[in-house]
Amino acid sequence: MERLQAFKFELRPTGEQTSKLRQFAGACRFVYNKALALQQENHKAGAKYIGYVSMANRLPSWRKDEQTSWLKESPAHPLQQTLRDLDRAYQNFFGKRAGFPAFKKKGRGDSFRYPEPKQFKFDQANSRIFLPKLGWLRYRNSREVVGKLRNVTVSERGGKWFFSIQTAREVEQAVHPSTSSIGIDLGVAVFATQSDGVQHKPLNSFASHQRQLARAQRALARKRKFSNNWKKQKAKITRLHSRIANMRADYLHKTSHRISQNHAVVCVEDLKVCNMSRSASGTKDSPGKSVKAKSGLNRSILDQGWGEFRRQLSYKLDWAGGELIAIPAQYTSQTCSGCGHTAKDNRKSQALFCCVSCGFEDNADSNAAKNIHAAGHAVLACGGDVRPAKRSCAKSAAPMKQEPTEVTQAVLV
C-alpha cells in the first residue's frame, strides 16, 4: 500500500530570506483574495463558475499589469497552486463538505506551496533546502525523510517559518502486535477514560496559561495601535498562543501513540464538537441562559482537542495495522453497562453512575467507556452503525426516548 507522509521542519532563514518569505506569502494571499472577489462578482452577474484553467489564464495578465507588477517577483508555481486551492475550496462547498470560501487575512495561516518535486532541491545531508527565488535555506534537521518527494509547503506560525515535505512510499500492510480492544470515553474532567479502567488526565494547556494570556492582552489594549510597542506585545501574545498549541499537540501525540501501539481496536465516541461548543448567547429577541457558564464549558471542550486526538488515532492505528471505530455518543453516559437500562437518573453526578434499575455502581466515565466498547464489538460483528441494544428490565418500565440537549450532552461527556 502507498503511504503519504509529511515531514515538518523549522527553517533558519536569513533576514533577506525572511522578507522574501513574507512577500511570497502575501502575493499568494493577494491572488487568492483577488480570484475569490472575481468569483463573487461573476456570480452576482449571473455568469457561470470560473474553473481553475480559466482563472489561471488570467494570472499572466495580473503579473503584467502595472498596478500588480510586483507579482513578478514571486515564483509562478505557488501562485498557480493558490488558485488550485481556491478551486478545491469551491468544490468542497458545492459538495457540501465545507462552508463558503472566505477571504484570507494577513498574519493568519500565511503559507505557499511548490507542488512539484522538480521545483525544489532537498539536501538533508547538509541540512538545507533550495527553493526558487529564495536560494538555499538552512533548517533544523530533526528526523530522517523517507520516501519519494511529492511537494513542499512553506508556512509561518508564531513568528517562525516552517516547511513540510510530503513523501510517498510503498509499505506492506502492517499486522498489529496486540489483540486487545478498548472503548474510550472523552471528557473534560478526565480527558480520556478507557474501558479497562485506565484514565488519562487532561493537560488543559489553555487553562494553565489563561491568566498569563489575559495580562498580556490587557497590556496590548493599553498601547497605541500599530506602534512599535504594540507590535512587540502582539508578537508576545502570538508566541504564547503558539506555546499553548505546541503543548496540546505534544500531549495528544504522546497519548494517541501509546494507545495505538497497545491496542489493535479502539472505539471512540463520534462527538460533534462544533455543536457541543456552540455559543448559548442566543439572539437579542431571545437571549440565552447561563451564557457565562456555557462559555467556560466551551473553552474547556476546545482546550482538550478531541477532534485532533481522533484524527491522530485514526492514521496511527492504520499505520500500525489496527482499526478505529466511531460510535454514536447518544445515551452512552446514561446506559447501564450491567443491565442495559437507560435513564437520565442513572448518572447521579459527574463522577458517579448508579443504575436506578439494578443498582450497579461504577465510575461514570468508566461505565460510558464500557458502553462504547460494547457498541464497537457490535459494529465489528454486524458491520453496521449500531449501539448496544436496550435490554428490558423487570424492575422498571422502558424509558421514554429523550434526546439530551447540547449543554447536557457536553457536561455528561
Side-chain angles (χ1 to χ4, degrees):
M1 58 176 291
E2 185 183 46
R3 176 185 294 183
L4 298 177
Q5 187 173 359
F7 300 85
K8 191 173 183 178
F9 304 94
E10 180 185 345
L11 284 170
R12 290 179 170 177
T14 62
E16 182 181 358
Q17 290 173 335
T18 301
S19 178
K20 288 186 177 181
L21 287 170
R22 293 197 187 100
Q23 179 184 354
F24 295 171
C28 291
R29 181 177 61 253
F30 174 83
V31 169
Y32 185 95
N33 291 340
K34 185 177 179 64
L36 179 57
L38 184 60
Q39 291 282 14
Q40 293 183 355
E41 293 176 0
N42 185 66
H43 177 70
K44 290 180 180 179
K48 294 183 179 180
Y49 170 74
I50 304 175
Y52 163 73
V53 176
S54 300
M55 188 67 74
N57 290 335
R58 305 183 185 211
L59 185 58
S61 62
W62 295 348
R63 292 164 64 92
K64 294 178 182 178
D65 191 352
E66 294 182 359
Q67 296 182 351
T68 57
S69 58
W70 48 271
L71 289 175
K72 294 181 181 179
E73 301 176 8
S74 301
H77 295 100
L79 299 180
Q80 295 173 355
Q81 181 61 37
T82 298
L83 297 178
R84 287 187 181 274
D85 294 339
L86 178 61
D87 182 71
R88 186 181 298 110
Y90 263 102
Q91 299 304 323
N92 291 335
F93 169 72
F94 295 148
K96 298 182 179 180
R97 295 183 297 271
F100 189 80
F103 289 98
K104 292 187 176 182
K105 295 182 179 181
K106 183 178 180 180
R108 294 188 180 181
D110 288 342
S111 64
F112 56 93
R113 179 182 301 138
Y114 295 92
E116 297 293 336
K118 61 183 179 182
Q119 298 162 5
F120 61 91
K121 300 176 184 178
F122 185 59
D123 183 10
Q124 189 168 18
N126 296 310
S127 302
R128 61 177 186 167
I129 183 173
F130 181 86
L131 300 176
K133 295 194 176 183
L134 283 170
W136 288 102
L137 293 92
R138 293 289 180 180
Y139 71 94
R140 294 185 61 181
N141 193 353
S142 56
R143 59 190 303 193
E144 182 183 0
V145 176
V146 294
K148 185 178 180 181
L149 304 183
R150 295 283 295 269
N151 56 65
V152 60
T153 301
V154 182
S155 60
E156 187 270 340
R157 181 182 177 185
K160 298 180 180 180
W161 287 91
F162 302 85
F163 75 94
S164 178
I165 286 189
Q166 186 188 56
T167 64
R169 69 181 189 272
E170 291 292 331
V171 296
E172 296 183 359
Q173 182 65 45
V175 178
H176 204 284
S178 174
T179 58
S180 65
S181 62
I182 60 167
I184 296 180
D185 176 70
L186 299 175
V188 174
V190 179
F191 171 70
T193 303
Q194 300 179 185
S195 56
D196 57 3
V198 178
Q199 290 187 337
H200 302 274
K201 300 298 182 181
L203 179 65
N204 295 330
S205 59
F206 179 82
S208 60
H209 290 79
Q210 191 170 358
R211 297 184 65 179
Q212 183 180 356
L213 185 61
R215 287 196 298 268
Q217 290 173 336
R218 286 195 297 268
L220 178 68
R222 290 192 294 266
K223 291 176 171 51
R224 184 167 57 86
K225 202 170 185 179
F226 301 119
S227 64
N228 289 334
N229 287 334
W230 182 88
K231 293 178 181 178
K232 292 178 183 178
Q233 186 65 23
K234 189 173 179 63
K236 182 178 180 180
I237 295 175
T238 301
R239 289 194 298 269
L240 187 56
H241 276 293
S242 179
R243 186 187 310 162
I244 294 171
N246 289 339
M247 289 176 59
R248 182 186 299 115
D250 177 73
Y251 176 77
L252 295 178
H253 272 295
K254 289 179 179 177
T255 306
S256 60
H257 175 77
R258 190 183 309 116
I259 294 175
S260 63
Q261 293 298 312
N262 294 335
H263 305 282
V265 178
V266 178
C267 311
V268 297
E269 296 172 289
D270 187 14
L271 297 175
K272 307 299 181 184
V273 181
C274 182
N275 296 337
M276 295 173 62
S277 58
R278 187 174 297 167
S279 174
S281 59
T283 61
K284 184 177 181 180
D285 298 332
S286 179
K289 298 180 180 179
S290 303
V291 177
K292 188 175 181 180
K294 183 61 169 65
S295 177
L297 177 62
N298 291 346
R299 282 196 300 269
S300 299
I301 290 175
L302 297 176
D303 194 13
Q304 306 308 314
W306 292 337
E308 176 64 12
F309 178 69
R310 174 177 166 179
R311 185 192 71 84
Q312 293 179 11
L313 271 179
S314 178
Y315 80 81
K316 290 179 181 180
L317 282 168
D318 184 46
W319 288 358
E323 184 177 1
L324 180 70
I325 302 176
I327 302 300
Q330 289 82 358
Y331 303 112
T332 55
S333 296
Q334 301 176 7
T335 303
C336 176
S337 60
C339 69
H341 177 73
T342 302
K344 185 177 181 180
D345 296 333
N346 282 347
R347 189 159 186 175
K348 301 297 183 181
S349 64
Q350 176 67 29
L352 179 61
F353 182 93
C354 182
C355 181
V356 297
S357 176
C358 67
F360 173 77
E361 292 187 4
D362 194 3
N363 178 273
D365 296 330
S366 178
N367 176 79
K370 292 175 183 177
N371 289 330
I372 295 169
H373 190 209
H377 274 281
V379 171
L380 290 176
C382 304
D385 189 12
V386 297
R387 281 173 283 175
K390 298 179 184 178
R391 296 184 290 275
S392 60
C393 186
K395 294 184 180 181
S396 63
M400 297 178 62
K401 182 177 181 180
Q402 181 180 2
E403 293 292 340
T405 62
E406 293 177 3
V407 178
T408 304
Q409 185 179 358
V411 174
L412 289 179
V413 296

